[in-house]
Amino acid sequence: MEKQAAIKAICENKTTLGIELGSTRIKAVLIDDCYSPLATGGYDWENRLENGFWTYSLEDVWAGLQDCFESLALDVKNRYDLTLSSVGAIGVSAMMHGYLAFDKEGNQLTAFRTWRNTTTSEAAGILTEKFNFNIPLRWSIAHLFQAILNGESHVKDIAFLTTLAGYVHWKLTGLKVLGIDDASGMFPIDTRTYDFNTKMLGQFTETAKPKGFDRNLAEILPKVLCAGQGAGNLTPEGAKLLDRSGSLKAGIPFCPPEGDAGSGMVATNSVAERSGNVSAGTSIFAMIVMEKELSALYKEIDIVTTPSGKPVAEVHCNNCTTDIDAWVKLFDEVTGLTGTEIPRDSLYNALYNKALEADEDCGGMLSFNYYSGEHNTGIEDGRPLFVRMPDSRFNLANFMRTLLFSAMGTLKLGMDILVEKEKIAIDSFLGHGGLFKTKGVGQRLMAAALNAPVMVMEESAGEGGAWGIALLAAFMLHGKGTLEQFLAEKVFAGRKGTQVKPDPIDVESFKIFMERYKNGLEIERAAEKSLRR
């Protein structure tokens, strides 16, 4: 009966498609009008460090999107014996921030500079002081102003500046628009007007004009849209770009393209005041929807918005699971030498669960997972490190817990500001991302790190953002009332999740680790200074 209902939903276009371009995987999720996944697709990819910048080529973007859609269509064919030719609506989400600049003919002017780059310290510092508003290193406006300060020749030709989600949406629909959450990672948003802050736009002009940039910034930024608004339709050219087979029909409506933070908030039902979510994958960030503005400016705290425009305090850190993944690959290589083949998921599960057997002090060991810089700790260029004393208890359990705690260390520094200084109330966190795929482990240790309950929804812990942007597409089609009401009453009502409360022993274990982490930051700084490429 369930299969027949799915076939009916697909044939009648009672579906929405969510596509998310994450840091290591492009995901696609097709959901029905009960908001449950019907089929999925995926494509693995990696960023590259080229000429001093973390980047992806646009050729890789389209090859990945096409392979991802092809795998989704194949899943539909295998499950339901149907050719996927249309859906009710589509949404595109992607890693936020970064720098994609184009000239008036639509030509890319310089390589895509992702959120992971920390080369904008000078620009971010000047703009933060000018605006009296924190401008993080990874924001698009910091990248633009740094390029102006550097005298980069391409700046004079910029006609359009956008994010990765905005770029993909533009090519599929022809519209230069952006959802308000993703837009809030380009330039500060005025939450009263649901648009870029006009006062700060003027301040940017005052600051940039003497440096030789006399363009009207508002004219080169995307148009800002909120959740529920229409954002164009799939063009015939866009259909060919997405689907190599030619089966996909033009005309499908799109919701506003969003950032992975916004789609993550939706996927975890964290869009109402006092709700929070934590995303833990290649990067890690926690977001809390605020009841009131912060009392002061903190360079560790970013102010962004929900997809409907509510102000959000975000602690964003560039590094999370990449170092863990590197060690798991090494263990995989070791087992391969013995002629033993262990499925990668089984290896992750075994290693993660081993961390639960660790000593309270992690054996006295320390790790820094910095593949790239971390603005919260003043590290511009990352150096992954594992440090131990001669008498450290160097066993697998302590090793794995140290790696997992390290993935949460920088996040904790920012969260302490919100909880201890600003006294922000958080009822609980909802977790999503790869760190939570091994049942119970990442969730339990994250609860200890945040000293707050962490819930994981059974259907979305690993897929998260692709499902979230599919829900935003569904809200555009069917939503009545607010996004908060739609999620609470239509999507999440009756859905199962598991909540883990912080264990006092784990909380104390993390405190011990964090003291060592703070003291050991000088080691990371010395490594950055002395180890050069």
Side-chain angles (χ1 to χ4, degrees):
M1 189 67 180
E2 287 184 6
K3 184 176 179 179
Q4 290 304 313
I7 291 172
K8 187 173 186 289
I10 295 169
C11 291
E12 295 179 359
N13 279 346
K14 294 181 177 179
T15 56
T16 55
L17 171 61
I19 301 172
E20 180 161 89
L21 295 94
S23 301
T24 59
R25 187 167 175 78
I26 302 174
K27 304 172 189 175
V29 176
L30 184 70
I31 66 173
D32 61 16
D33 51 353
C34 294
Y35 318 112
S36 297
L38 299 178
T40 61
Y43 175 82
D44 293 329
W45 68 340
E46 291 286 347
N47 55 182
R48 297 189 296 271
L49 186 62
E50 294 181 353
N51 301 316
F53 291 103
W54 291 100
T55 189
Y56 302 82
S57 73
L58 297 190
E59 289 78 12
D60 287 345
V61 168
W62 292 110
L65 281 167
Q66 289 166 355
D67 278 9
C68 179
F69 184 84
E70 185 176 327
S71 68
L72 172 82
L74 181 61
D75 195 28
V76 170
K77 185 70 174 177
N78 290 339
R79 287 173 183 262
Y80 312 112
D81 195 27
L82 294 172
T83 298
L84 188 62
S85 60
S86 189
V87 297
I90 301 176
V92 176
S93 173
M95 59 191 97
M96 290 177 68
H97 321 297
Y99 186 73
L100 273 164
F102 301 89
D103 66 16
K104 61 183 180 181
E105 280 81 34
N107 301 308
Q108 187 181 15
L109 292 171
T110 189
F112 174 31
R113 300 172 187 179
T114 76
W115 58 269
R116 200 170 195 173
N117 291 288
T118 53
T119 55
T120 60
S121 296
E122 181 185 7
I126 292 171
L127 294 177
T128 295
E129 183 177 356
K130 184 72 176 178
F131 297 165
N132 192 32
F133 184 96
N134 184 37
I135 301 297
L137 304 185
R138 67 189 181 281
W139 278 23
S140 307
I141 195 60
H143 283 284
L144 172 61
F145 193 56
Q146 191 65 56
I148 293 169
L149 294 176
N150 293 345
E152 296 186 39
S153 59
H154 77 270
V155 168
K156 67 181 185 305
D157 297 318
I158 296 175
F160 181 44
L161 186 65
T162 191
T163 64
L164 182 56
Y167 163 73
V168 172
H169 185 95
W170 170 38
K171 290 300 178 182
L172 295 179
T173 68
L175 296 186
K176 297 176 179 178
V177 300
L178 204 58
I180 193 168
D181 167 66
D182 206 1
S184 71
M186 293 194 75
F187 193 88
I189 291 289
D190 184 337
T191 54
R192 297 166 300 179
T193 63
Y194 303 104
D195 205 347
F196 294 119
N197 188 298
T198 53
K199 178 182 177 182
M200 294 181 191
L201 286 171
Q203 290 172 323
F204 180 84
T205 299
E206 292 172 7
T207 308
K209 194 169 184 178
K211 312 292 183 185
F213 186 80
D214 59 358
R215 302 294 307 280
N216 183 342
L217 183 60
E219 292 179 355
I220 67 174
L221 292 174
K223 180 181 178 182
V224 179
L225 299 175
C226 287
Q229 293 183 269
N233 300 81
L234 184 66
T235 64
E237 296 79 10
K240 291 176 184 176
L241 266 177
L242 191 56
D243 179 21
R244 294 190 190 105
S245 75
S247 300
L248 191 64
K249 297 175 182 176
I252 300 169
F254 274 68
C255 69
E258 269 298 2
D260 52 358
S263 58
M265 281 187 265
V266 171
T268 54
N269 192 22
S270 304
V271 296
E273 292 174 351
R274 291 175 61 104
S275 64
N277 80 90
V278 57
S279 173
T282 303
S283 65
I284 185 169
F285 54 85
M287 312 189 76
I288 301 149
V289 185
M290 297 188 294
E291 295 177 286
K292 58 184 178 65
E293 292 184 357
L294 299 182
S295 65
L297 183 155
Y298 301 99
K299 292 185 178 179
E300 300 88 349
I301 310 298
D302 309 344
I303 304 300
V304 291
T305 76
T306 68
S308 56
K310 289 182 179 290
V312 172
E314 176 185 19
V315 180
H316 185 285
C317 310
N318 287 348
N319 301 282
C320 185
T321 59
T322 302
D323 194 39
I324 299 172
D325 295 340
W327 283 106
V328 173
K329 286 178 183 176
L330 183 67
F331 291 136
D332 190 36
E333 189 177 341
V334 172
T335 59
L337 288 174
T338 68
T340 304
E341 290 189 12
I342 302 176
R344 187 63 64 88
D345 285 348
S346 298
L347 186 57
Y348 271 99
N349 288 341
L351 291 170
Y352 271 48
N353 277 286
K354 192 67 178 175
L356 301 182
E357 303 173 16
D359 297 328
E360 187 176 12
D361 68 347
C362 299
M365 297 186 290
L366 177 62
S367 171
F368 288 99
N369 63 341
Y370 292 5
Y371 268 68
S372 61
E374 282 291 1
H375 66 282
N376 280 0
T377 51
I379 303 298
E380 188 166 312
D381 198 7
R383 301 289 184 271
L385 293 177
F386 195 94
V387 184
R388 59 191 174 102
M389 299 290 285
D391 59 349
S392 295
R393 292 177 298 285
F394 188 46
N395 58 44
L396 186 59
N398 286 334
F399 179 80
M400 285 307 302
R401 182 174 283 220
T402 300
L403 291 183
L404 286 163
F405 275 174
S406 176
M408 307 168 193
T410 315
L411 179 73
K412 176 64 172 175
L413 298 176
M415 287 303 301
D416 282 349
I417 294 172
L418 293 175
V419 174
E420 295 175 9
K421 291 186 179 181
E422 291 291 326
K423 308 299 182 186
I424 285 184
I426 308 156
D427 294 330
S428 69
F429 285 92
L430 281 129
H432 62 108
L435 188 78
F436 299 106
K437 278 189 175 181
T438 297
K439 189 174 182 179
V441 180
Q443 186 179 6
R444 172 177 157 179
L445 297 183
M446 186 66 75
L450 299 175
N451 198 15
V454 174
M455 177 176 281
V456 172
M457 304 302 296
E458 293 177 4
E459 292 180 77
S460 61
E463 297 304 325
W467 185 56
I469 192 66
L471 292 177
L472 283 170
F475 177 62
M476 180 194 69
L477 283 183
H478 311 300
K480 294 180 181 179
T482 66
L483 178 62
E484 295 86 342
Q485 291 169 331
F486 172 73
L487 294 177
E489 298 169 9
K490 299 294 185 183
V491 178
F492 284 89
R495 288 189 182 269
K496 294 180 180 179
T498 56
Q499 186 185 74
V500 171
K501 295 181 178 179
D503 183 301
I505 295 175
D506 289 337
V507 172
E508 184 60 30
S509 176
F510 192 78
K511 283 182 180 178
I512 294 169
F513 173 82
M514 281 306 296
E515 283 303 309
R516 190 179 305 124
Y517 186 90
K518 293 173 187 176
N519 293 332
L521 279 167
E522 288 303 317
I523 306 170
E524 179 68 20
R525 294 187 181 105
E528 179 189 20
K529 188 179 296 184
S530 59
L531 295 176
R532 295 292 175 184
R533 291 185 178 88

